[in-house]
Amino acid sequence: EESLSAVAAALAEHGPFDGLLGFSQGAALAAMVCALRGRGDPRFPVAFAVLVAGFASRAPAHGHFYREPIALPTLHIVGDTDAVITAPLSKELAQCFVEPVVLTHPGGHFIPAAAAQKKAYLEFLERFYPGQGQ
């Protein structure tokens, strides 16, 4: 809860923000924010999230975040050879969301920036550009 309160305070102080980008442990935290936002929590006014090398927390106190499908648009970046957060863990997190977009890449624990991935990022983000219907 302390981390979530810190995120809420940062969003309020430095926002507004359209979406969140989380990497590794940050993606795990961002997924929890998505769950709260999906339930209508006004502290987290974001429209989407990009979760890179994310995973669902195994802490028993966090189980409630994943009990119901998370209804917030997300792009999940999964490294096929990620030895830190393995692909199955990231794909398991994606399954907690309603209609997640999953982008796999052949690399490991990093944010890929090759042309193919950049194209996928832009295609996902264009959905949230003002004037594009959302």
Side-chain angles (χ1 to χ4, degrees):
E1 282 299 317
E2 188 175 316
S3 295
L4 291 167
S5 295
V7 171
L11 289 171
E13 182 180 346
H14 301 290
F17 295 97
D18 294 324
L20 296 174
L21 169 66
F23 176 77
S24 197
Q25 288 180 320
L29 177 61
M32 293 179 207
V33 169
C34 291
L36 293 171
R37 177 62 185 153
R39 296 176 194 162
D41 191 321
R43 297 177 298 164
F44 306 103
V46 295
F48 66 89
V50 177
L51 306 175
V52 184
F55 58 96
S57 172
R58 298 285 194 237
H62 296 159
H64 69 95
F65 290 109
Y66 314 105
R67 285 199 187 109
E68 55 192 65
I70 302 170
L72 194 77
T74 48
L75 172 62
H76 300 259
I77 316 292
V78 179
D80 288 334
T81 59
D82 191 335
V84 179
I85 305 300
T86 62
L89 287 176
S90 290
K91 290 177 181 176
E92 176 186 295
L93 175 63
Q95 291 175 357
C96 295
F97 288 81
V98 175
E99 297 183 25
V101 176
V102 179
L103 172 65
T104 60
H105 65 92
H109 197 67
F110 60 86
I111 300 173
Q117 287 90 35
K118 287 179 184 177
K119 182 176 185 277
Y121 301 155
L122 289 173
E123 287 174 0
F124 177 78
L125 294 173
E126 281 174 351
R127 297 166 46 189
F128 309 99
Y129 186 77
Q132 297 297 312
Q134 288 195 14

